[in-house]
Amino acid sequence: MTADKQIETKLSPTEENKENVQEGWLGLEILQIIKESQQQHGLRHGDYQRYRGYCSRRLRRLRKTLGFKMGNRHKFVGKKITVEILSDSRYLLLVLMEAERAWSYAMQLKQEANTEPRKKFHLLARLRKAAKHSEKLEKLCESPRVDAKTKLEAQAYTAYLTGMVHFELQEWKLAMEAFNKCKTIYEKLASAFTEEMAVLYRQRVDEISPNIRYCAYNIGDQNAINDLMQMRLTGGGGGMMAEKLEALITQARTKQAATMSEVEWRGRSVPVKIDKARIFLLGLADNEAAIAQAVNEETKEHLYETLLAECRDTIQAVREELKNEAKQRERSSDNESGKVSNLQFLHSYLTYIKLCTLVKRNESMAHTLQAKLKETGADENKRGPRPQDLIRLYDIILQSLAELSTLQGLEDDHTFQKEVSLKTLVYKAYRCFFIAQSYVLVKKWSEALVLYERVLKYAKEVQSKSKSLNNSLKDLPDIQELIAEVNAEKYSLQAAAILDTDEAPEVSSQQQVKDNTPLCEHLDNFHLDKTLVGKHPNLVQFPPEFQPIPCKPLFFDLALNHVAFPPLDDKVEQKGKGGLTGYIKGIFGFGS
């Protein structure tokens, strides 16, 4: 309470202090500067190395601008920022950037420490360095020339970094005290300033709260685990705290795993001897409940991804055991062929969980996209998802269902196969519906109408088959809603097609000119063609096209080669051998 009163008095300056602020007190928006710099230079994607490089460059620019260089290129001369030289708020910014550079390096080392544990020692050294710079900033802000808001923000920043150091050292009590001090200051700042600044302070409080709950749990407060689980549902506690929370949940499940010996599925009890499988199956119900209680789609997607990652790791562990079991079977003489082992059936069960989770995740994404698609349809200027995006999601769902029908040990389970085939029909109907929607967008009315009829066909099959499987439709989308939507879309489609045909004359005239179809070829169909009343009407095609005609027959006299002609030697005139005398006689006619 005393700390709260001190904060209130600092945030309520007298008229004299207000005049001093106006006369030129030093001030620095510490939290706002930090958040803007982090979001613009790498931390939006978790790139701490890029942010560290930005801090180094900004430090160099500040030192150059202020003339506060550490010697020259040949010799280093250290300088300290003291209260006496504190004439510009950029000196405070210089110390803040030094703290941020050390903190970003520590967070970078934390990411790398997952594979290289030795880097944890370097991480602690950089965190201590960041806390030391923050303490230096707090001492500088104690100067009477610094305004009250900057002093409080410096105290909160120091408390935050000090709490981070104690948190990494697992000194839970000291860490909790530091985080509580930081939280108290930011809450008071949020209540004292404008709404824009208050949002920033409240976000910082939300970031700190999971750390406080985690410290309380490690101190001995068992009720804190429930608060942590609730924060996990609302998406609180990102980054370092998220890893700690997942480790805490895994640790709690490991303690309970010793009591689990078998699991029952599809009327068969299967012993569970693998610890990883026990831990996963124990937490399955909690994960499903967390997904159902998720407050937004981003948190739900994160929980789905976490569940799928755990499921894949568990399946991989079971596969390793299956390989060992197969080797033992090869060595043993009594090889039981045709019977599915308990380990193989457990593998099928885990695969079933993975595929069902994939179906649920994609269905949730499809519902979200469908809602956005309707909003985009209402607002034509707004760009949003397309039906093709939903088609892709339903393709993945159908692929998962196809894998479900091939699971080992369930080939002879006719009820299971009927359930899978029924689900396949439902999702085929939805996929076909969105394919029709994509055709509507490109004004292919006939194709869309045929696809809508196909949707109704699938829906009727689902209704006929679901009579024997009433429980199978509980987790599926409502088929009656789809039928009603298809009927409404059909009427809209017919109206749009009629309106499109009313506008068709202009389009057909353009197509007519483009296709160069003359009037004589479509006399039975009326088209309003403006070119017919112009200077160059397209009445007939000129010159006309060539047309095939019958060829003139060719006659070949084949009998001529076989005809024997009579001799004509007596008819042929014999030429004489008279020479010059005969020639003269022939001229004058004496030889005739």
Side-chain angles (χ1 to χ4, degrees):
M1 295 297 294
T2 55
D4 295 350
K5 290 180 180 178
Q6 291 177 1
I7 291 167
E8 290 174 1
T9 53
K10 287 182 178 179
L11 291 176
S12 305
T14 61
E15 295 298 328
E16 182 182 355
N17 289 338
K18 289 180 181 178
E19 291 175 1
N20 291 336
V21 171
Q22 292 174 358
E23 287 174 3
W25 276 26
L26 300 179
L28 193 67
E29 301 286 348
I30 294 176
L31 187 60
Q32 186 176 359
I33 291 171
I34 289 172
K35 288 297 181 182
E36 289 179 357
S37 301
Q38 290 176 356
Q39 291 297 314
Q40 293 174 8
H41 298 92
L43 260 63
R44 183 175 295 177
H45 310 290
D47 191 351
Y48 291 99
Q49 185 175 4
R50 178 184 164 193
Y51 181 58
R52 182 165 69 96
Y54 161 76
C55 293
S56 299
R57 293 190 299 273
R58 191 165 186 183
L59 277 170
R60 186 167 59 250
R61 292 195 299 268
L62 285 169
R63 289 194 181 108
K64 186 176 180 180
T65 305
L66 294 169
F68 196 74
K69 296 183 179 180
M70 302 291 190
N72 51 35
R73 67 179 63 184
H74 303 292
K75 185 178 179 182
F76 173 78
V77 179
K79 292 182 180 179
K80 292 183 179 180
I81 300 175
T82 59
V83 178
E84 288 74 18
I85 65 171
L86 198 63
S87 59
D88 195 330
S89 60
R90 285 177 291 182
Y91 285 105
L92 299 175
L93 183 59
L94 191 66
V95 182
L96 178 63
M97 284 295 109
E98 287 179 343
E100 281 293 292
R101 181 175 62 174
W103 172 82
S104 60
Y105 194 12
M107 294 299 103
Q108 178 190 342
L109 291 169
K110 184 164 185 64
Q111 290 179 338
E112 298 171 359
N114 295 327
T115 55
E116 301 177 49
R118 290 290 303 172
K119 289 193 174 182
K120 187 175 181 181
F121 298 101
H122 194 184
L123 151 71
L124 291 171
R126 299 314 300 176
L127 267 181
R128 290 192 184 100
K129 190 74 172 177
K132 185 177 178 182
H133 284 304
S134 66
E135 291 172 1
K136 182 179 177 182
L137 176 64
E138 184 182 356
K139 289 180 181 178
L140 288 173
C141 289
E142 291 175 358
S143 169
R145 283 178 287 181
V146 180
D147 62 5
K149 181 182 175 183
T150 307
K151 291 179 181 179
L152 287 172
E153 286 206 38
Q155 291 176 13
Y157 184 65
T158 304
Y160 175 75
L161 289 181
T162 305
M164 294 288 286
V165 174
H166 293 306
F167 193 89
E168 281 297 319
L169 292 171
Q170 297 184 3
E171 297 173 351
W172 308 118
K173 192 172 182 179
L174 295 175
M176 187 174 176
E177 292 175 358
F179 285 136
N180 276 326
K181 179 181 177 182
C182 178
K183 181 182 177 182
T184 304
I185 295 173
Y186 281 129
E187 284 176 346
K188 290 298 179 180
L189 286 170
S191 62
F193 289 97
T194 61
E195 186 63 27
E196 294 181 0
M197 293 299 298
V199 171
L200 199 61
Y201 294 133
R202 291 193 192 103
Q203 287 178 356
R204 191 64 154 182
V205 170
D206 293 339
E207 293 175 10
I208 297 169
S209 297
N211 295 3
I212 296 173
R213 294 288 185 272
Y214 189 79
C215 293
Y217 173 77
N218 284 281
I219 290 172
D221 185 3
Q222 297 297 326
N223 295 327
I225 187 66
N226 298 325
D227 296 335
L228 287 170
M229 293 296 291
Q230 191 63 32
M231 288 178 181
R232 181 170 176 255
L233 298 181
T234 56
M240 179 176 67
M241 190 57 214
E243 298 176 3
K244 296 279 187 183
L245 184 55
E246 293 298 333
L248 177 64
I249 294 170
T250 304
Q251 181 182 358
R253 289 173 184 168
T254 305
K255 295 177 181 178
Q256 300 174 2
T259 60
M260 184 179 183
S261 59
E262 62 181 12
V263 63
E264 186 174 352
W265 181 59
R266 308 301 300 182
R268 178 173 173 178
S269 296
V270 183
V272 183
K273 299 179 181 179
I274 305 172
D275 292 336
K276 200 159 193 176
R278 288 179 180 176
I279 295 170
F280 172 73
L281 293 173
L282 277 172
L284 180 61
D286 294 337
N287 285 326
E288 291 177 348
I291 291 170
Q293 297 173 12
V295 293
N296 52 35
E297 293 299 326
E298 184 179 355
T299 305
K300 186 180 289 188
E301 180 67 20
H302 172 69
L303 292 173
Y304 270 126
E305 291 297 333
T306 304
L307 178 58
L308 286 171
E310 292 177 3
C311 190
R312 292 189 191 100
D313 294 341
T314 307
I315 290 173
Q316 185 61 34
V318 175
R319 280 178 186 164
E320 296 296 330
E321 292 294 328
L322 277 172
K323 290 179 183 179
N324 298 332
E325 186 183 49
K327 291 179 181 178
Q328 291 177 1
R329 283 189 177 183
E330 290 176 359
R331 294 172 187 171
S332 61
S333 57
D334 54 343
N335 188 5
E336 298 179 359
S337 59
K339 185 179 179 181
V340 179
S341 64
N342 289 330
L343 199 57
Q344 183 61 56
F345 198 74
L346 177 62
H347 181 270
S348 297
Y349 177 47
L350 293 171
T351 308
Y352 169 81
I353 293 171
K354 184 191 77 170
L355 294 174
C356 287
T357 306
L358 276 172
V359 170
K360 291 177 183 177
R361 185 197 67 175
N362 290 315
E363 187 182 354
S364 174
M365 293 171 64
H367 284 310
T368 305
L369 285 177
Q370 192 173 355
K372 291 181 180 178
L373 188 64
K374 290 180 180 178
E375 292 176 2
T376 308
D379 187 2
E380 296 181 356
N381 298 326
K382 186 177 180 181
R383 186 177 180 181
R386 301 174 300 170
Q388 288 84 346
D389 302 331
L390 286 155
I391 295 169
R392 175 60 183 158
L393 288 174
Y394 283 109
D395 281 335
I396 298 172
I397 290 174
L398 290 172
Q399 183 179 354
S400 301
L401 291 173
E403 292 180 21
L404 272 177
S405 60
T406 60
L407 289 176
Q408 291 188 3
L410 299 174
E411 298 89 347
D412 300 330
D413 192 341
H414 300 294
T415 305
F416 178 78
Q417 297 296 336
K418 287 180 181 178
E419 290 176 358
V420 173
S421 63
L422 183 64
K423 292 178 181 178
T424 304
L425 281 175
V426 173
Y427 290 114
K428 274 186 177 180
Y430 273 89
R431 177 180 176 273
C432 191
F433 173 76
F434 288 109
I435 294 175
Q437 293 277 47
S438 65
Y439 276 110
V440 169
L441 291 179
V442 294
K443 297 184 178 181
K444 292 186 176 181
W445 314 118
S446 57
E447 291 88 344
L449 187 61
V450 171
L451 288 168
Y452 281 140
E453 294 295 337
R454 178 67 63 86
V455 174
L456 294 176
K457 178 185 173 183
Y458 283 139
K460 289 179 182 178
E461 289 184 22
V462 170
Q463 287 178 336
S464 62
K465 292 183 178 181
S466 62
K467 294 178 181 178
S468 58
L469 299 170
N470 294 327
N471 296 329
S472 301
L473 289 174
K474 289 182 178 179
D475 299 332
L476 293 177
D478 189 5
I479 201 70
Q480 292 293 339
E481 183 180 349
L482 179 63
I483 293 173
E485 193 169 357
V486 168
N487 289 328
E489 289 292 336
K490 282 176 63 178
Y491 297 134
S492 301
L493 174 65
Q494 291 171 358
I498 292 170
L499 291 173
D500 193 54
T501 53
D502 290 341
E503 299 172 359
E506 183 179 354
V507 178
S508 62
S509 65
Q510 294 175 359
Q511 291 177 351
Q512 185 174 332
V513 175
K514 185 178 180 181
D515 297 338
N516 200 19
T517 305
L519 176 64
C520 63
E521 294 185 9
H522 56 81
L523 292 174
D524 296 334
N525 299 322
F526 173 74
H527 292 285
L528 182 61
D529 191 353
K530 296 180 180 179
T531 59
L532 293 176
V533 294
K535 293 183 179 180
H536 302 286
N538 191 11
L539 302 176
V540 294
Q541 184 172 354
F542 188 83
E545 294 182 354
F546 289 103
Q547 295 182 355
I549 59 173
C551 296
K552 183 180 180 179
L554 297 176
F555 296 98
F556 297 94
D557 194 355
L558 301 178
L560 182 63
N561 297 328
H562 301 281
V563 174
F565 293 99
L568 299 175
D569 295 339
D570 56 337
K571 303 291 184 181
V572 177
E573 183 181 359
Q574 297 291 332
K575 292 183 179 182
K577 299 181 181 179
L580 183 60
T581 305
Y583 177 71
I584 295 173
K585 288 181 179 181
I587 294 174
F588 294 102
F590 296 115
S592 57

